[in-house]
Amino acid sequence: MGNIIKAQKGTKDILPNEIGSWHMLEQKALEVFTSAGFKEIRTPIFEATELFARGVGDTTDIVNKEMYTFEKSERSLTLRPENTAGVVRAFIENGMSRLSMPVKLWYKGPMFRYERPQAGRQRQFHQVGVEMFGIKEPTADAEVISLAVAYLNAIGLNDLDVEINSLGCPKCREEFSKNLRNALRPYLEKMCPDCQSRFEKNPLRILDCKVPECKEILESEELQNVIAKDYICDECHEHFEKVKSYLNVLNIKYSVNKLLVRGLDYYNRTVFEIKSNNLGSQNAVCGGGRYDSLVGHLGGQDTPAVGFAMGMERLKSLLPETEVKPLTAYVVCDNSEHAFKLVNELREKGISADFDMTCKKFTKQLEKASKIANFACILGEDELSKNEVSVKNMLTSKQITVSRDDVVSAFVQ
Ligand code: HAM
Protein backbone atom coordinates (compact mmCIF):
# COMPACT_ATOMS: atom_id res chain seq x y z
CA MET A 1 0.00 0.00 0.00
CA GLY A 2 1.34 3.45 -0.91
CA ASN A 3 1.81 6.34 1.51
CA ILE A 4 -1.24 8.42 2.26
CA ILE A 5 -0.99 11.76 0.47
CA LYS A 6 -2.14 14.67 2.59
CA ALA A 7 -3.34 18.18 1.78
CA GLN A 8 -0.46 20.67 1.62
CA LYS A 9 0.47 22.72 4.69
CA GLY A 10 -1.65 25.86 4.81
CA THR A 11 -4.40 24.41 2.61
CA LYS A 12 -7.71 22.92 3.73
CA ASP A 13 -10.52 20.84 2.31
CA ILE A 14 -13.91 22.47 2.61
CA LEU A 15 -16.08 19.53 3.58
CA PRO A 16 -19.78 18.95 2.91
CA ASN A 17 -20.71 19.69 6.55
CA GLU A 18 -19.29 23.23 6.20
CA ILE A 19 -20.42 24.01 2.69
CA GLY A 20 -23.73 25.54 3.86
CA SER A 21 -21.85 28.47 5.44
CA TRP A 22 -19.79 28.98 2.29
CA HIS A 23 -22.92 29.02 0.14
CA MET A 24 -24.45 31.57 2.51
CA LEU A 25 -21.34 33.83 2.34
CA GLU A 26 -21.40 33.65 -1.47
CA GLN A 27 -25.17 34.12 -1.78
CA LYS A 28 -25.17 37.17 0.50
CA ALA A 29 -22.28 38.66 -1.49
CA LEU A 30 -24.31 38.28 -4.67
CA GLU A 31 -27.38 39.85 -3.03
CA VAL A 32 -25.70 42.75 -1.20
CA PHE A 33 -23.28 43.74 -3.97
CA THR A 34 -25.88 43.36 -6.73
CA SER A 35 -28.28 45.57 -4.80
CA ALA A 36 -25.61 48.32 -4.86
CA GLY A 37 -25.10 47.97 -8.63
CA PHE A 38 -21.94 45.82 -8.55
CA LYS A 39 -21.44 43.06 -11.13
CA GLU A 40 -19.36 39.94 -10.61
CA ILE A 41 -16.06 39.51 -12.46
CA ARG A 42 -14.05 36.28 -12.61
CA THR A 43 -10.40 36.64 -13.53
CA PRO A 44 -7.76 33.90 -13.95
CA ILE A 45 -6.11 32.28 -10.93
CA PHE A 46 -2.64 32.82 -12.43
CA GLU A 47 -1.25 35.92 -14.06
CA ALA A 48 2.10 37.19 -15.33
CA THR A 49 4.42 37.60 -12.31
CA GLU A 50 5.15 41.13 -13.47
CA LEU A 51 1.53 42.15 -12.84
CA PHE A 52 1.94 41.60 -9.10
CA ALA A 53 5.54 42.85 -8.96
CA ARG A 54 4.43 46.11 -10.53
CA GLY A 55 0.89 46.19 -9.16
CA VAL A 56 1.19 45.10 -5.53
CA GLY A 57 4.70 46.59 -5.27
CA ASP A 58 8.23 45.29 -5.00
CA THR A 59 8.72 46.50 -1.42
CA THR A 60 5.85 44.38 -0.07
CA ASP A 61 6.15 41.08 1.81
CA ILE A 62 3.66 39.62 -0.63
CA VAL A 63 5.92 40.20 -3.63
CA ASN A 64 9.23 39.59 -1.86
CA LYS A 65 8.44 36.46 0.11
CA GLU A 66 4.97 35.11 -0.43
CA MET A 67 4.29 34.50 -4.08
CA TYR A 68 3.81 31.09 -5.65
CA THR A 69 5.79 31.69 -8.81
CA PHE A 70 6.62 29.14 -11.49
CA GLU A 71 7.84 29.05 -15.04
CA LYS A 72 6.08 27.65 -18.10
CA SER A 73 7.36 28.11 -21.65
CA GLU A 74 9.92 30.59 -20.35
CA ARG A 75 7.18 32.77 -18.87
CA SER A 76 7.15 33.62 -15.22
CA LEU A 77 3.66 33.06 -13.82
CA THR A 78 2.26 33.58 -10.33
CA LEU A 79 -0.81 32.27 -8.51
CA ARG A 80 -2.71 35.40 -7.54
CA PRO A 81 -1.88 36.52 -3.98
CA GLU A 82 -4.76 39.04 -4.15
CA ASN A 83 -7.19 40.18 -6.80
CA THR A 84 -6.97 43.96 -7.13
CA ALA A 85 -4.09 43.76 -9.61
CA GLY A 86 -5.93 41.10 -11.68
CA VAL A 87 -9.16 43.10 -11.77
CA VAL A 88 -7.25 46.23 -12.80
CA ARG A 89 -5.56 44.26 -15.60
CA ALA A 90 -8.96 43.02 -16.78
CA PHE A 91 -10.41 46.55 -16.54
CA ILE A 92 -7.64 47.88 -18.82
CA GLU A 93 -7.49 44.92 -21.20
CA ASN A 94 -11.25 44.84 -21.77
CA GLY A 95 -11.54 48.58 -22.43
CA MET A 96 -13.78 49.16 -19.41
CA SER A 97 -12.53 52.73 -19.13
CA ARG A 98 -14.83 53.47 -22.09
CA LEU A 99 -17.87 52.48 -20.01
CA SER A 100 -19.77 55.08 -18.08
CA MET A 101 -18.28 55.56 -14.63
CA PRO A 102 -18.38 54.25 -12.00
CA VAL A 103 -17.55 50.71 -13.02
CA LYS A 104 -18.50 48.54 -10.04
CA LEU A 105 -17.11 45.02 -9.83
CA TRP A 106 -17.10 42.28 -7.20
CA TYR A 107 -15.36 38.90 -6.98
CA LYS A 108 -14.83 35.85 -4.88
CA GLY A 109 -12.30 33.07 -5.08
CA PRO A 110 -9.05 31.51 -3.92
CA MET A 111 -5.82 33.48 -3.33
CA PHE A 112 -2.35 32.11 -2.58
CA ARG A 113 0.34 33.43 -0.24
CA TYR A 114 3.34 31.51 1.02
CA GLU A 115 2.99 32.61 4.64
CA ARG A 116 3.55 30.81 7.92
CA PRO A 117 0.21 29.10 8.53
CA GLN A 118 -1.54 29.83 11.82
CA ALA A 119 -5.10 30.36 13.06
CA GLY A 120 -6.75 32.64 10.48
CA ARG A 121 -3.82 32.45 8.10
CA GLN A 122 -3.59 29.94 5.27
CA ARG A 123 -1.53 29.55 2.13
CA GLN A 124 -4.60 29.00 0.01
CA PHE A 125 -7.45 31.14 1.30
CA HIS A 126 -10.53 32.79 -0.16
CA GLN A 127 -11.46 36.41 -0.56
CA VAL A 128 -14.66 38.18 -1.44
CA GLY A 129 -14.11 41.75 -2.54
CA VAL A 130 -15.19 44.76 -4.59
CA GLU A 131 -13.36 47.26 -6.80
CA MET A 132 -14.98 50.50 -7.96
CA PHE A 133 -13.44 52.59 -10.73
CA GLY A 134 -13.86 56.15 -11.91
CA ILE A 135 -14.83 58.24 -8.86
CA LYS A 136 -12.26 60.43 -7.14
CA GLU A 137 -14.78 62.05 -4.78
CA PRO A 138 -14.90 60.87 -1.14
CA THR A 139 -18.44 59.57 -1.73
CA ALA A 140 -16.80 56.52 -3.35
CA ASP A 141 -14.65 55.78 -0.28
CA ALA A 142 -17.71 56.02 1.98
CA GLU A 143 -19.82 53.92 -0.40
CA VAL A 144 -17.25 51.13 -0.40
CA ILE A 145 -16.79 51.18 3.39
CA SER A 146 -20.55 51.19 3.92
CA LEU A 147 -20.91 48.29 1.48
CA ALA A 148 -18.37 46.28 3.48
CA VAL A 149 -20.33 46.98 6.67
CA ALA A 150 -23.65 46.13 4.95
CA TYR A 151 -22.24 42.78 3.82
CA LEU A 152 -20.89 41.97 7.28
CA ASN A 153 -24.27 42.84 8.81
CA ALA A 154 -26.08 40.73 6.21
CA ILE A 155 -24.07 37.65 7.18
CA GLY A 156 -24.86 38.31 10.84
CA LEU A 157 -21.67 40.05 12.03
CA ASN A 158 -22.46 43.29 13.79
CA ASP A 159 -19.81 43.68 16.44
CA LEU A 160 -16.75 44.75 14.44
CA ASP A 161 -14.36 47.69 14.58
CA VAL A 162 -13.90 49.86 11.50
CA GLU A 163 -10.50 51.60 11.45
CA ILE A 164 -9.64 54.26 8.89
CA ASN A 165 -6.64 56.39 8.02
CA SER A 166 -5.44 58.64 5.23
CA LEU A 167 -2.07 57.99 3.65
CA GLY A 168 -2.31 61.25 1.72
CA CYS A 169 -1.01 61.64 -1.81
CA PRO A 170 2.58 60.87 -2.95
CA LYS A 171 3.46 64.52 -2.36
CA CYS A 172 2.39 64.72 1.28
CA ARG A 173 3.53 61.17 1.95
CA GLU A 174 7.08 62.23 0.96
CA GLU A 175 7.07 64.84 3.72
CA PHE A 176 5.85 62.30 6.26
CA SER A 177 8.42 59.70 5.12
CA LYS A 178 11.21 62.27 5.48
CA ASN A 179 10.23 63.13 9.05
CA LEU A 180 9.73 59.49 9.93
CA ARG A 181 13.19 58.59 8.58
CA ASN A 182 14.78 61.40 10.56
CA ALA A 183 13.13 60.24 13.77
CA LEU A 184 13.90 56.55 13.16
CA ARG A 185 17.52 56.93 12.00
CA PRO A 186 19.08 56.76 15.50
CA TYR A 187 17.27 53.44 16.13
CA LEU A 188 17.96 51.85 12.76
CA GLU A 189 20.45 49.29 14.05
CA LYS A 190 18.02 48.02 16.66
CA MET A 191 15.23 47.43 14.18
CA CYS A 192 14.41 44.10 12.52
CA PRO A 193 16.02 43.32 9.11
CA ASP A 194 12.67 43.87 7.35
CA CYS A 195 12.31 47.35 8.82
CA GLN A 196 15.92 48.15 7.97
CA SER A 197 15.19 47.49 4.33
CA ARG A 198 11.82 49.29 4.56
CA PHE A 199 13.62 52.36 5.94
CA GLU A 200 14.76 53.59 2.54
CA LYS A 201 12.16 52.02 0.27
CA ASN A 202 8.94 52.49 2.21
CA PRO A 203 9.33 53.77 5.79
CA LEU A 204 5.55 53.95 6.34
CA ARG A 205 5.46 50.16 6.43
CA ILE A 206 7.57 50.28 9.60
CA LEU A 207 4.49 51.61 11.41
CA ASP A 208 2.82 48.27 10.80
CA CYS A 209 5.69 46.06 12.06
CA LYS A 210 4.72 43.40 14.61
CA VAL A 211 8.28 42.70 15.88
CA PRO A 212 8.39 43.70 19.61
CA GLU A 213 11.68 45.67 19.33
CA CYS A 214 10.31 47.77 16.46
CA LYS A 215 6.97 48.26 18.22
CA GLU A 216 8.78 49.53 21.29
CA ILE A 217 10.69 52.11 19.25
CA LEU A 218 7.44 53.28 17.66
CA GLU A 219 5.84 53.67 21.07
CA SER A 220 8.53 56.10 22.23
CA GLU A 221 7.35 59.66 22.79
CA GLU A 222 9.53 61.02 20.03
CA LEU A 223 8.07 58.72 17.39
CA GLN A 224 4.54 59.16 18.69
CA ASN A 225 4.93 62.91 18.20
CA VAL A 226 5.99 62.45 14.59
CA ILE A 227 3.12 60.02 13.93
CA ALA A 228 0.52 62.23 15.60
CA LYS A 229 1.39 65.26 13.49
CA ASP A 230 -0.81 65.84 10.45
CA TYR A 231 1.35 65.87 7.35
CA ILE A 232 -1.36 65.44 4.80
CA CYS A 233 -1.91 68.37 2.45
CA ASP A 234 -5.04 70.52 2.47
CA GLU A 235 -6.68 68.66 -0.39
CA CYS A 236 -6.06 65.23 1.13
CA HIS A 237 -7.19 66.54 4.50
CA GLU A 238 -10.45 67.83 3.05
CA HIS A 239 -11.01 64.52 1.24
CA PHE A 240 -10.54 62.57 4.48
CA GLU A 241 -12.81 64.92 6.44
CA LYS A 242 -15.56 64.35 3.87
CA VAL A 243 -15.14 60.57 4.05
CA LYS A 244 -15.57 60.80 7.82
CA SER A 245 -18.61 63.04 7.57
CA TYR A 246 -20.30 60.65 5.12
CA LEU A 247 -19.61 57.77 7.49
CA ASN A 248 -21.22 59.82 10.26
CA VAL A 249 -24.27 60.45 8.09
CA LEU A 250 -24.47 56.72 7.40
CA ASN A 251 -24.21 55.98 11.12
CA ILE A 252 -21.09 53.87 10.63
CA LYS A 253 -18.92 53.82 13.74
CA TYR A 254 -15.20 54.06 13.06
CA SER A 255 -11.96 55.09 14.68
CA VAL A 256 -8.95 56.78 13.08
CA ASN A 257 -5.81 54.66 13.44
CA LYS A 258 -2.72 56.58 12.40
CA LEU A 259 -0.65 53.38 12.38
CA LEU A 260 -2.86 51.81 9.73
CA VAL A 261 -0.71 51.72 6.57
CA ARG A 262 -1.71 48.39 4.88
CA GLY A 263 0.70 45.89 3.40
CA LEU A 264 0.30 46.71 -0.28
CA ASP A 265 2.00 49.56 -2.14
CA TYR A 266 -0.83 50.81 -4.31
CA TYR A 267 -2.82 52.82 -1.79
CA ASN A 268 -3.20 56.58 -1.49
CA ARG A 269 -5.55 58.65 0.69
CA THR A 270 -8.20 56.51 2.45
CA VAL A 271 -7.22 53.10 3.80
CA PHE A 272 -9.36 51.00 6.13
CA GLU A 273 -9.55 47.70 7.95
CA ILE A 274 -12.39 45.99 9.76
CA LYS A 275 -11.32 43.95 12.75
CA SER A 276 -12.88 41.48 15.15
CA ASN A 277 -11.89 41.01 18.77
CA ASN A 278 -12.71 37.32 18.51
CA LEU A 279 -9.99 36.36 16.05
CA GLY A 280 -6.70 36.44 17.96
CA SER A 281 -3.67 37.96 16.27
CA GLN A 282 -4.96 37.64 12.69
CA ASN A 283 -7.92 39.85 13.50
CA ALA A 284 -8.60 41.71 10.23
CA VAL A 285 -11.61 40.40 8.34
CA CYS A 286 -11.49 43.17 5.74
CA GLY A 287 -8.84 45.44 4.26
CA GLY A 288 -9.10 48.05 1.57
CA GLY A 289 -8.60 51.56 0.39
CA ARG A 290 -8.17 53.97 -2.48
CA TYR A 291 -5.63 53.35 -5.25
CA ASP A 292 -5.83 56.21 -7.73
CA SER A 293 -2.52 55.52 -9.51
CA LEU A 294 -2.74 51.77 -10.10
CA VAL A 295 -4.70 51.79 -13.37
CA GLY A 296 -2.27 54.34 -14.87
CA HIS A 297 0.71 52.52 -13.38
CA LEU A 298 -0.34 49.29 -15.09
CA GLY A 299 -0.62 51.00 -18.48
CA GLY A 300 -4.25 52.15 -18.50
CA GLN A 301 -5.75 55.59 -18.64
CA ASP A 302 -5.49 57.33 -15.25
CA THR A 303 -8.61 56.23 -13.35
CA PRO A 304 -9.28 56.69 -9.64
CA ALA A 305 -10.37 53.54 -7.80
CA VAL A 306 -11.25 52.19 -4.39
CA GLY A 307 -12.04 48.71 -3.08
CA PHE A 308 -11.73 46.08 -0.38
CA ALA A 309 -11.32 42.36 0.16
CA MET A 310 -12.40 40.12 3.02
CA GLY A 311 -10.92 36.80 4.11
CA MET A 312 -13.76 34.29 3.85
CA GLU A 313 -12.16 31.73 6.23
CA ARG A 314 -12.02 34.45 8.88
CA LEU A 315 -15.64 35.40 8.22
CA LYS A 316 -16.71 31.79 8.46
CA SER A 317 -14.90 31.30 11.77
CA LEU A 318 -16.95 34.17 13.24
CA LEU A 319 -20.33 32.79 12.14
CA PRO A 320 -22.43 31.01 14.74
CA GLU A 321 -22.57 27.24 14.21
CA THR A 322 -25.86 26.51 12.53
CA GLU A 323 -27.07 23.12 11.60
CA VAL A 324 -28.59 23.16 8.16
CA LYS A 325 -30.48 20.03 7.22
CA PRO A 326 -29.53 19.08 3.69
CA LEU A 327 -32.94 17.76 2.62
CA THR A 328 -36.55 18.91 2.72
CA ALA A 329 -38.05 15.42 2.62
CA TYR A 330 -36.96 11.90 3.50
CA VAL A 331 -39.29 9.20 2.27
CA VAL A 332 -39.87 6.47 4.84
CA CYS A 333 -41.22 3.30 3.22
CA ASP A 334 -40.38 -0.38 3.14
CA ASN A 335 -41.26 -0.72 -0.52
CA SER A 336 -38.42 0.61 -2.70
CA GLU A 337 -40.60 1.00 -5.80
CA HIS A 338 -43.09 3.30 -4.05
CA ALA A 339 -40.27 5.15 -2.34
CA PHE A 340 -38.41 5.67 -5.64
CA LYS A 341 -41.56 7.02 -7.31
CA LEU A 342 -42.39 9.49 -4.56
CA VAL A 343 -38.77 10.70 -4.30
CA ASN A 344 -38.65 11.36 -8.04
CA GLU A 345 -41.98 13.22 -8.01
CA LEU A 346 -40.82 15.42 -5.15
CA ARG A 347 -37.51 16.17 -6.85
CA GLU A 348 -39.32 17.06 -10.08
CA LYS A 349 -41.38 19.57 -8.11
CA GLY A 350 -38.20 21.16 -6.80
CA ILE A 351 -38.36 19.60 -3.33
CA SER A 352 -35.06 18.05 -2.27
CA ALA A 353 -35.75 14.45 -1.28
CA ASP A 354 -34.10 11.11 -0.65
CA PHE A 355 -34.91 7.65 0.71
CA ASP A 356 -33.29 4.62 2.28
CA MET A 357 -31.93 2.49 -0.53
CA THR A 358 -31.23 -0.46 1.75
CA CYS A 359 -34.80 -0.78 3.07
CA LYS A 360 -33.96 -0.73 6.78
CA LYS A 361 -36.62 -0.92 9.50
CA PHE A 362 -39.17 1.94 9.71
CA THR A 363 -37.77 3.15 13.04
CA LYS A 364 -34.24 3.33 11.62
CA GLN A 365 -35.52 5.21 8.59
CA LEU A 366 -37.34 7.71 10.81
CA GLU A 367 -34.19 8.19 12.87
CA LYS A 368 -32.26 8.96 9.70
CA ALA A 369 -35.02 11.35 8.56
CA SER A 370 -34.72 13.32 11.79
CA LYS A 371 -30.99 13.74 11.18
CA ILE A 372 -30.97 14.82 7.55
CA ALA A 373 -34.41 16.16 6.59
CA ASN A 374 -36.96 18.70 7.71
CA PHE A 375 -39.88 16.36 6.90
CA ALA A 376 -40.43 12.60 6.83
CA CYS A 377 -42.88 11.42 4.13
CA ILE A 378 -44.24 8.20 5.51
CA LEU A 379 -45.64 5.61 3.14
CA GLY A 380 -46.79 2.76 5.40
CA GLU A 381 -49.25 0.00 4.49
CA ASP A 382 -52.15 2.15 5.63
CA GLU A 383 -51.09 5.17 3.59
CA LEU A 384 -50.43 3.03 0.49
CA SER A 385 -53.85 1.39 0.66
CA LYS A 386 -55.59 4.80 0.91
CA ASN A 387 -53.33 6.53 -1.64
CA GLU A 388 -52.13 8.94 1.05
CA VAL A 389 -48.87 10.17 2.56
CA SER A 390 -48.23 11.09 6.22
CA VAL A 391 -45.92 14.06 6.42
CA LYS A 392 -44.14 14.58 9.73
CA ASN A 393 -42.40 17.85 10.57
CA MET A 394 -39.22 16.57 12.20
CA LEU A 395 -38.73 19.72 14.23
CA THR A 396 -42.20 20.05 15.76
CA SER A 397 -43.21 16.35 15.39
CA LYS A 398 -46.54 17.60 14.00
CA GLN A 399 -47.89 15.06 11.52
CA ILE A 400 -50.57 15.47 8.88
CA THR A 401 -51.95 13.09 6.33
CA VAL A 402 -52.53 14.31 2.79
CA SER A 403 -53.66 12.77 -0.44
CA ARG A 404 -50.78 11.23 -2.40
CA ASP A 405 -51.57 13.56 -5.32
CA ASP A 406 -51.42 16.62 -3.10
CA VAL A 407 -48.22 15.88 -1.19
CA VAL A 408 -46.45 19.13 -2.12
CA SER A 409 -49.04 21.15 -0.16
CA ALA A 410 -47.79 19.51 3.05
CA PHE A 411 -44.49 21.35 2.98
CA VAL A 412 -46.06 24.67 3.78
CA GLN A 413 -47.11 23.53 7.29
P1 HAM B 1 -5.26 42.25 2.25
O1 HAM B 1 -5.34 43.06 3.49
O2 HAM B 1 -3.94 41.69 1.87
O3 HAM B 1 -5.84 43.16 1.09
O4 HAM B 1 -6.29 41.05 2.35
C1 HAM B 1 -7.66 41.29 2.65
C2 HAM B 1 -8.16 40.26 3.66
O5 HAM B 1 -7.87 38.93 3.20
C3 HAM B 1 -7.48 40.34 5.02
O6 HAM B 1 -8.07 41.32 5.84
C4 HAM B 1 -7.75 38.93 5.57
O7 HAM B 1 -9.07 38.86 6.09
C5 HAM B 1 -7.68 38.07 4.31
N1 HAM B 1 -6.37 37.40 4.21
C6 HAM B 1 -5.21 37.91 3.74
N2 HAM B 1 -4.22 36.99 3.80
C7 HAM B 1 -4.77 35.86 4.32
C8 HAM B 1 -4.27 34.54 4.62
N3 HAM B 1 -3.01 34.21 4.38
N4 HAM B 1 -5.13 33.64 5.15
C9 HAM B 1 -6.43 33.97 5.38
N5 HAM B 1 -6.96 35.19 5.10
C10 HAM B 1 -6.15 36.13 4.59
C11 HAM B 1 -5.93 42.77 -0.22
O8 HAM B 1 -5.80 41.63 -0.59
C12 HAM B 1 -6.36 43.89 -1.14
N6 HAM B 1 -6.40 43.35 -2.52
C13 HAM B 1 -7.68 44.47 -0.73
C14 HAM B 1 -8.17 45.56 -1.63
C15 HAM B 1 -9.08 45.45 -2.61
N7 HAM B 1 -7.75 46.80 -1.63
C16 HAM B 1 -8.39 47.47 -2.58
N8 HAM B 1 -9.18 46.65 -3.19
Side-chain angles (χ1 to χ4, degrees):
M1 216 167 71
N3 289 337
I4 293 171
I5 299 167
K6 294 198 169 155
Q8 292 299 295
K9 195 171 160 190
T11 72
K12 276 195 183 136
D13 298 310
I14 296 173
L15 297 171
N17 64 347
E18 316 168 78
I19 202 72
S21 310
W22 285 87
H23 287 161
M24 187 278 280
L25 291 175
E26 291 165 3
Q27 184 57 32
K28 290 285 177 203
L30 177 64
E31 283 168 27
V32 173
F33 300 150
T34 304
S35 78
F38 284 72
K39 292 227 170 95
E40 188 179 354
I41 183 165
R42 298 185 186 184
T43 59
I45 303 285
F46 64 84
E47 300 269 2
T49 302
E50 194 193 346
L51 175 69
F52 303 113
R54 263 168 60 192
V56 175
D58 57 10
T59 71
T60 63
D61 287 350
I62 294 181
V63 169
N64 285 323
K65 305 182 199 165
E66 297 172 0
M67 297 215 292
Y68 281 90
T69 296
F70 54 99
E71 259 186 42
K72 275 277 171 237
S73 313
E74 292 169 32
R75 286 222 173 108
S76 180
L77 305 171
T78 292
L79 300 183
R80 61 184 188 191
E82 60 100 59
N83 208 24
T84 307
V87 170
V88 168
R89 182 207 42 74
F91 176 87
I92 299 167
E93 190 172 342
N94 295 288
M96 287 191 226
S97 60
R98 291 193 298 271
L99 303 174
S100 91
M101 294 294 149
V103 173
K104 295 173 157 189
L105 305 170
W106 76 274
Y107 53 83
K108 60 174 191 309
M111 310 292 156
F112 305 84
R113 295 184 193 177
Y114 187 70
E115 294 190 89
R116 193 169 53 79
Q118 53 174 278
R121 199 202 263 163
Q122 292 177 201
R123 289 179 174 173
Q124 177 175 343
F125 60 100
H126 296 79
Q127 282 185 343
V128 56
V130 311
E131 312 294 349
M132 177 158 78
F133 297 92
I135 309 290
K136 63 178 186 328
E137 282 75 13
T139 37
D141 313 51
E143 151 110 320
V144 161
I145 296 172
S146 83
L147 194 60
V149 172
Y151 174 69
L152 292 166
N153 292 344
I155 61 171
L157 303 179
N158 300 300
D159 187 20
L160 296 159
D161 298 327
V162 179
E163 292 185 356
I164 60 172
N165 193 18
S166 176
L167 300 179
C169 56
K171 209 172 72 207
C172 42
R173 194 148 61 205
E174 201 35 60
E175 172 76 5
F176 184 40
S177 299
K178 199 176 84 196
N179 289 299
L180 203 54
R181 269 194 209 101
N182 287 341
L184 284 170
R185 192 164 284 113
Y187 305 98
L188 195 54
E189 272 180 16
K190 291 192 199 135
M191 290 195 291
C192 74
D194 280 343
C195 282
Q196 291 186 5
S197 74
R198 286 169 187 148
F199 183 81
E200 282 305 332
K201 286 195 260 176
N202 190 357
L204 255 68
R205 286 282 288 128
I206 297 175
L207 300 182
D208 195 29
C209 184
K210 304 286 181 293
V211 174
E213 287 76 21
C214 300
K215 275 177 96 168
E216 205 178 306
I217 296 169
L218 289 171
E219 276 156 21
S220 70
E221 205 186 315
E222 187 191 349
L223 263 301
Q224 287 296 311
N225 286 340
V226 175
I227 294 161
K229 228 170 158 189
D230 252 337
Y231 288 102
I232 56 175
C233 64
D234 290 348
E235 265 174 69
C236 290
H237 181 78
E238 195 189 327
H239 189 276
F240 194 44
E241 288 305 307
K242 286 217 172 114
V243 174
K244 289 194 274 185
S245 78
Y246 289 131
L247 294 180
N248 292 337
V249 168
L250 292 166
N251 252 333
I252 292 171
K253 288 203 185 65
Y254 60 86
S255 56
V256 175
N257 176 0
K258 292 217 161 212
L259 296 181
L260 183 66
V261 290
R262 309 271 306 126
L264 305 101
D265 278 355
Y266 44 64
Y267 294 113
N268 65 298
R269 292 194 166 165
T270 317
V271 287
F272 60 96
E273 283 189 353
I274 304 181
K275 295 176 179 170
S276 160
N277 293 321
N278 301 323
L279 275 178
S281 66
Q282 301 303 315
N283 63 353
V285 290
C286 174
R290 179 169 276 286
Y291 50 95
D292 293 336
S293 317
L294 187 58
V295 179
H297 186 63
L298 290 175
Q301 220 172 54
D302 271 339
T303 310
V306 52
F308 68 75
M310 301 193 187
M312 297 178 80
E313 281 78 4
R314 293 186 195 177
L315 296 177
K316 185 185 167 287
S317 72
L318 289 172
L319 297 177
E321 293 284 331
T322 47
E323 199 204 348
V324 184
K325 298 249 177 83
L327 292 175
T328 303
Y330 193 76
V331 173
V332 174
C333 178
D334 55 14
N335 178 314
S336 303
E337 282 177 21
H338 286 292
F340 249 133
K341 266 187 90 178
L342 181 53
V343 162
N344 273 338
E345 278 175 40
L346 291 169
R347 288 180 184 167
E348 270 169 20
K349 287 175 179 142
I351 294 163
S352 60
D354 210 348
F355 73 110
D356 173 29
M357 285 186 257
T358 57
C359 243
K360 287 196 198 72
K361 282 196 189 127
F362 249 64
T363 47
K364 288 266 176 232
Q365 292 189 29
L366 271 171
E367 226 173 81
K368 173 100 182 202
S370 73
K371 284 192 188 129
I372 64 166
N374 295 320
F375 295 92
C377 292
I378 303 163
L379 281 178
E381 261 177 48
D382 216 27
E383 283 89 355
L384 286 172
S385 69
K386 293 185 187 154
N387 199 31
E388 287 177 342
V389 186
S390 294
V391 179
K392 183 176 178 183
N393 182 322
M394 301 312 280
L395 197 67
T396 61
S397 293
K398 192 176 145 202
Q399 186 167 319
I400 57 165
T401 303
V402 291
S403 149
R404 172 79 174 69
D405 306 324
D406 198 21
V407 61
V408 181
S409 68
F411 298 105
V412 285
Q413 1 168 359

